[in-house]
Amino acid sequence: MQRYFMTEPYEAKKQYDITGENYHHIVRVMRMEPKQQVYLVFSDRIAIIAEIVEVNDEAVVLKEVAKELSEKELPVNVTIACGFPKGDKLDLVVQKTTELGCHKFIGYPAKTSVVKWDHKKLVKKAERFKKIATEAAEQSHRQFAPDIVLLEKKLELVESFSNYDKVLIAYEESAKEGEQSRFAQTLAETSVGESILVVFGPEGGFASEEIEEFEKHGGILCGLGPRILRAETAPLYVLSAISYQFELV
Amino acid sequence: MQRYFMTEPYEAKKQYDITGENYHHIVRVMRMEPKQQVYLVFSDRIAIIAEIVEVNDEAVVLKEVAKELSEKELPVNVTIACGFPKGDKLDLVVQKTTELGCHKFIGYPAKTSVVKWDHKKLVKKAERFKKIATEAAEQSHRQFAPDIVLLEKKLELVESFSNYDKVLIAYEESAKEGEQSRFAQTLAETSVGESILVVFGPEGGFASEEIEEFEKHGGILCGLGPRILRAETAPLYVLSAISYQFELV
């Protein structure tokens, strides 16, 4: 069943009118008709099953049938921060980390980032990522599309470390040295409801002064097993492992 | 340090001659010179650190410096079987599952597979996937590039179930019903050295008669958490979770 994200919080109403892009999708793309049902997901993450009552030229009119009960969100809030990589790789990372339950996505200019995105480019990229994230959140039946934040300066990332309960740095050198327990250990020490920031480098990895800075601000260096993962694969590994640990085990 | 896969098993020798594609990569792409070192990974998964002694017109000549000691392979043998999806999606799946430690990759025509690949196309695709897998295995520092098998008939897949210690079927409907423990439970019952086959559908999912057939042959239906993952994301989730469980916890 299709899911549509609403910009307002949930409020019990006799009917819900859908216009704009979602209207277009329901009427033109899905060609839906009265009596068919969809999920409406509100900004406060409440989701309802709604039935189409009427389709007119301006709006799709729906009525609430039931609340969606099951919890779709990861029980810990995971923020993924990626150094800007080359090309369109972040498109894939944003889509996949959204499917895998990411709470917030941060992009930042790392020391070895080759691309230089100015303010205008960052705004355009953020819009694009938000669209990708919203579509992926709808498709994966989430109650929430991750926030997208693209930073102009790495300093802002480091200064935000104190906002999280745990900060992990995915460090290739730790993996090479055979460090294989800090990630699992940190998850074991994390309670439901806590927030975790996981920082990843771009293709070129981290510079040693970045690692020093991250550690100084409380970042925990960790490896992700014995195989070297590409920059765009490591965030998927981390979110999969967190889901497995908190949702399946 | 670069890794190169050799087609022959390891044998202690005074010198190793590299020709062909690997020669081209060492000499033309990497422009390496005597005294520089690379990993040579043999077909029996023994890897050595080797130093370039000489580069001539026909071969790069190397001598063994040391054996590579650390184990890079997943401690359980995981085979990933994917229903043929649309477009080039398997390129990504083969690359990422290789990075994540997949032992063998199987493609098969599922009931809802839209593409129809004839024998000639399958041979061509298999070659392409083998190349992608080899490059990904080199980059992720593995001792082994996964086998690639593309089947003409689904029957061959079902008949192979008995070759594995465990067979899991990633079933979206199980996920929707809130089934969240069979995957973790199966991993908990799996010992190091055992083999697991995990079967995934194409975008359209499985037909009910496929599910019946899989169950009849011993397949265990399991969900992968509360969010619905795309066909190409689910295999990455499974391998990440297996790595986490067997290599990090």
Side-chain angles (χ1 to χ4, degrees):
Chain A
M1 200 153 75
Q2 288 289 319
R3 293 176 86 80
Y4 296 100
F5 282 91
M6 316 296 284
T7 48
E8 69 276 10
Y10 174 74
E11 199 186 319
K13 282 199 225 172
K14 264 201 176 155
Q15 66 172 59
Y16 299 88
D17 291 356
I18 289 191
T19 57
E21 263 188 54
N22 287 339
Y23 173 87
H24 175 82
H25 196 269
I26 292 174
V27 178
R28 307 264 176 266
V29 182
M30 300 302 294
R31 298 171 188 277
M32 293 183 92
E33 291 179 357
K35 298 257 160 117
Q36 288 191 278
Q37 298 187 339
V38 300
Y39 288 106
L40 299 184
V41 188
F42 295 87
S43 63
D44 50 3
R45 302 193 198 182
I46 292 173
I48 63 170
I49 296 168
E51 188 178 296
I52 300 177
V53 178
E54 188 197 328
V55 177
N56 60 44
D57 286 352
E58 279 145 36
V60 180
V61 182
L62 301 104
K63 65 171 186 194
E64 177 173 338
V65 175
K67 293 262 183 323
E68 186 189 41
L69 290 177
S70 62
E71 178 55 68
K72 306 287 188 187
E73 294 298 325
L74 267 181
V76 287
N77 278 354
V78 184
T79 297
I80 296 291
C82 292
F84 295 139
K86 280 188 254 176
D88 293 331
K89 277 183 198 151
L90 284 188
D91 288 10
L92 178 79
V93 177
V94 168
Q95 185 193 65
K96 296 298 169 226
T97 53
T98 300
E99 282 178 67
L100 293 166
C102 173
H103 182 259
K104 182 176 174 179
F105 182 87
I106 297 174
Y108 71 93
K111 183 91 195 272
T112 67
S113 287
V114 179
V115 294
K116 304 285 171 225
W117 291 342
D118 60 16
H119 180 74
K120 208 177 126 191
K121 177 89 176 174
L122 286 178
V123 171
K124 231 177 115 184
K125 278 277 183 189
E127 270 171 31
R128 178 176 169 75
F129 293 162
K130 188 71 200 177
K131 195 160 182 282
I132 291 173
T134 302
E135 282 171 7
E138 286 171 358
Q139 214 216 322
S140 56
H141 290 208
R142 289 188 58 179
Q143 285 144 347
F144 177 74
D147 285 335
I148 305 284
V149 178
L150 301 185
L151 302 176
E152 286 188 56
K153 292 201 167 65
K154 190 176 52 198
L155 187 65
E156 298 172 64
L157 175 68
V158 179
E159 284 176 350
S160 78
F161 278 18
S162 55
N163 301 338
Y164 299 89
D165 294 307
K166 308 269 160 48
V167 178
L168 288 167
I169 315 294
Y171 190 39
E172 198 177 65
E173 295 305 318
S174 300
K176 282 185 190 156
E177 281 160 19
E179 188 294 296
Q180 294 184 14
S181 61
R182 245 172 271 148
F183 175 50
Q185 211 178 309
T186 304
L187 292 194
E189 290 162 5
T190 301
S191 310
V192 165
E194 284 195 339
S195 60
I196 308 179
L197 168 67
V198 195
V199 182
F200 301 87
E203 305 91 340
F206 293 118
S208 57
E209 64 259 40
E210 284 177 314
I211 288 296
E212 271 173 42
E213 206 185 351
F214 292 156
E215 281 199 290
K216 213 176 75 187
H217 286 79
I220 303 164
L221 307 186
C222 64
L224 299 173
R227 289 168 300 286
I228 302 303
L229 302 176
R230 283 176 208 238
E232 76 271 18
T233 314
L236 317 187
Y237 182 100
V238 162
L239 282 162
S240 301
I242 291 176
S243 161
Y244 176 76
Q245 171 81 28
F246 284 93
E247 298 182 316
L248 298 193
V249 171
Chain B
M1 200 153 76
Q2 287 290 319
R3 293 176 86 81
Y4 296 99
F5 283 90
M6 315 297 283
T7 48
E8 69 276 11
Y10 174 75
E11 200 186 319
K13 284 198 223 172
K14 264 201 176 156
Q15 67 172 57
Y16 299 88
D17 291 357
I18 289 190
T19 57
E21 264 187 54
N22 286 338
Y23 172 88
H24 175 82
H25 195 269
I26 293 173
V27 178
R28 307 265 177 265
V29 181
M30 300 303 295
R31 298 172 188 275
M32 293 182 90
E33 291 180 356
K35 296 258 161 114
Q36 288 192 277
Q37 297 186 338
V38 300
Y39 288 106
L40 300 183
V41 188
F42 295 88
S43 63
D44 50 4
R45 304 194 197 180
I46 293 173
I48 63 170
I49 297 168
E51 187 177 298
I52 299 177
V53 178
E54 187 197 330
V55 176
N56 60 45
D57 287 350
E58 279 145 36
V60 180
V61 181
L62 301 105
K63 66 170 186 194
E64 178 173 339
V65 175
K67 293 262 181 323
E68 186 189 40
L69 289 177
S70 61
E71 179 56 66
K72 305 287 188 189
E73 295 297 326
L74 268 181
V76 287
N77 278 354
V78 184
T79 297
I80 296 291
C82 291
F84 294 139
K86 280 188 253 176
D88 293 331
K89 278 182 198 152
L90 285 188
D91 288 10
L92 178 79
V93 177
V94 168
Q95 186 193 64
K96 296 296 169 229
T97 54
T98 300
E99 281 178 68
L100 292 165
C102 172
H103 181 257
K104 182 177 175 179
F105 182 87
I106 298 174
Y108 70 94
K111 183 89 195 277
T112 66
S113 287
V114 179
V115 292
K116 305 283 171 224
W117 291 343
D118 60 16
H119 181 74
K120 206 176 128 192
K121 178 87 175 174
L122 286 178
V123 171
K124 230 177 116 186
K125 278 278 183 187
E127 270 171 29
R128 178 175 169 77
F129 293 162
K130 188 70 200 179
K131 193 159 183 282
I132 291 173
T134 302
E135 282 171 8
E138 286 171 359
Q139 213 215 321
S140 55
H141 290 209
R142 289 188 58 179
Q143 284 144 344
F144 177 74
D147 285 334
I148 305 284
V149 178
L150 300 186
L151 302 177
E152 286 189 56
K153 292 201 167 66
K154 190 176 52 198
L155 186 65
E156 298 172 64
L157 174 68
V158 178
E159 285 177 349
S160 77
F161 278 17
S162 56
N163 300 338
Y164 299 90
D165 294 308
K166 307 269 160 50
V167 178
L168 288 167
I169 315 295
Y171 189 39
E172 199 177 64
E173 296 305 318
S174 300
K176 282 185 188 156
E177 282 160 19
E179 188 296 297
Q180 295 185 13
S181 60
R182 245 171 272 148
F183 175 50
Q185 210 177 310
T186 303
L187 292 195
E189 291 162 4
T190 301
S191 310
V192 165
E194 284 195 339
S195 60
I196 307 180
L197 168 67
V198 195
V199 182
F200 301 86
E203 305 91 340
F206 293 118
S208 57
E209 64 259 40
E210 283 177 314
I211 289 296
E212 271 173 42
E213 206 184 350
F214 292 157
E215 281 200 289
K216 213 176 74 186
H217 286 80
I220 301 165
L221 308 185
C222 64
L224 300 173
R227 289 168 300 286
I228 303 301
L229 303 176
R230 283 177 207 236
E232 75 271 19
T233 314
L236 318 187
Y237 182 99
V238 162
L239 282 162
S240 301
I242 292 176
S243 161
Y244 176 76
Q245 170 80 28
F246 284 94
E247 298 182 315
L248 298 194
V249 173

